[in-house]
Amino acid sequence: MRRADRLFQIVQLIRGRRLSTAAFLAERLEVSARTIYRDVADLQHQGVPIEGEAGVGYRLGAGFDLPPLMFSQGEANALVAAARLAQAWLDTGLAREVEGALGKILSVLPPAARVAAEAQALYAPSVGLGPRALTTLQALREAVHTRNVVHIDYADVQGRPTQRRLRPLGCFYWGKVWTLSAWCELRGDFRGFRIDRIVDLVVLEEHFQPEPGKTLADLLRKVEAEMADCGPEGEAARTSPAAP
């Protein structure tokens, strides 16, 4: 890789992440960490607002951007494929946004590249959630973002009904089903709920604030610890609050 191309890739990688270590950049670009240190120093000298330092990590300062880039044919193909998969399994609101974003991406491609990307024989038939569950998914996704407490009527795998007040933390896609991971106020612990088994959902006006021990980060750390304790079999992964 030419040095000019490497400098460009460094900027691209740094601006795509909150914090990029020299080790991460070196691995991605297949060079030594010392080369990364030298390249970053040169970029900073040229006026690129890269913040941070060796041993800590780098990030790009606010207000810096590069001119729009043309997608390669492979990148265009990947974006079309990803969009088709996403539209089949996302709720209506996000699927509509994906369609709009894909249209903008295709509009900047040369005609031949656009035809080639759209002609891929890769499709994702919508055979997942029904209309009611898709509506529930969208409402829960928005509640996660706005931190609204929700009330659900739920039926477990045996069909037994239960009612819960939840702090929704994240929606997880498992290839066949979506689940909601939440802090359950009834159980005082993390719980997972299949979205297609939510009989009724009410998004309350009440908001919640992140509390130590009750956040998505806490849940993910708990799942990782349980998986580590169980070893390669990963039994905890199948019984975790995130699993279906």
Side-chain angles (χ1 to χ4, degrees), residues 32-55:
S32 67
R34 180 173 296 181
T35 297
I36 296 297
Y37 296 147
R38 184 174 61 249
D39 287 347
V40 169
D42 287 346
L43 286 167
Q44 291 171 327
H45 182 71
Q46 294 171 25
V48 179
I50 297 177
E51 303 171 350
E53 59 186 60

Side-chain angles (χ1 to χ4, degrees), residues 160-172:
R160 296 172 298 196
T162 183
Q163 295 185 341
R164 305 290 180 93
R165 265 177 56 99
L166 307 172
R167 298 183 179 192
L169 301 176
C171 297
F172 292 77

Side-chain angles (χ1 to χ4, degrees), residues 140 148-153 164 198 200-205:
L140 288 172
N148 281 80
V149 177
V150 301
H151 180 279
I152 66 169
D153 289 339
R164 305 290 180 93
I198 296 177
D200 188 49
L201 167 70
V202 178
V203 179
L204 306 177
E205 294 185 3

Side-chain angles (χ1 to χ4, degrees), residues 88-200:
W89 288 96
L90 292 174
D91 60 70
T92 305
L94 270 185
R96 186 165 49 246
E97 298 296 337
V98 169
E99 183 177 1
L102 181 59
K104 292 178 181 178
I105 291 168
L106 293 175
S107 69
V108 303
L109 295 175
R114 176 172 184 166
V115 170
E118 292 183 309
Q120 291 183 97
L122 189 155
Y123 304 96
S126 182
V127 294
L129 298 176
R132 187 183 70 179
L134 286 173
T135 301
T136 300
L137 173 61
Q138 179 170 344
L140 288 172
R141 175 177 59 80
E142 293 170 352
V144 169
H145 178 70
T146 57
R147 293 177 181 162
N148 281 80
V149 177
V150 301
H151 180 279
I152 66 169
D153 289 339
Y154 188 75
D156 66 15
V157 66
Q158 283 83 31
R160 296 172 298 196
T162 183
Q163 295 185 341
R164 305 290 180 93
R165 265 177 56 99
L166 307 172
R167 298 183 179 192
L169 301 176
C171 297
F172 292 77
Y173 176 59
W174 299 90
K176 293 183 179 180
V177 299
W178 279 92
T179 63
L180 169 72
S181 286
W183 177 263
C184 177
E185 295 186 355
L186 176 64
R187 302 302 185 194
D189 200 356
F190 298 110
R191 288 291 186 271
F193 303 89
R194 279 184 50 155
I195 287 177
D196 57 350
R197 292 179 184 159
I198 296 177
V199 179
D200 188 49

Side-chain angles (χ1 to χ4, degrees), residues 209-226:
Q209 295 300 321
E211 296 181 24
K214 300 180 181 181
T215 67
L216 180 60
D218 294 315
L219 168 61
L220 296 178
R221 281 192 292 268
K222 177 180 179 181
V223 172
E224 289 177 359
E226 290 175 349

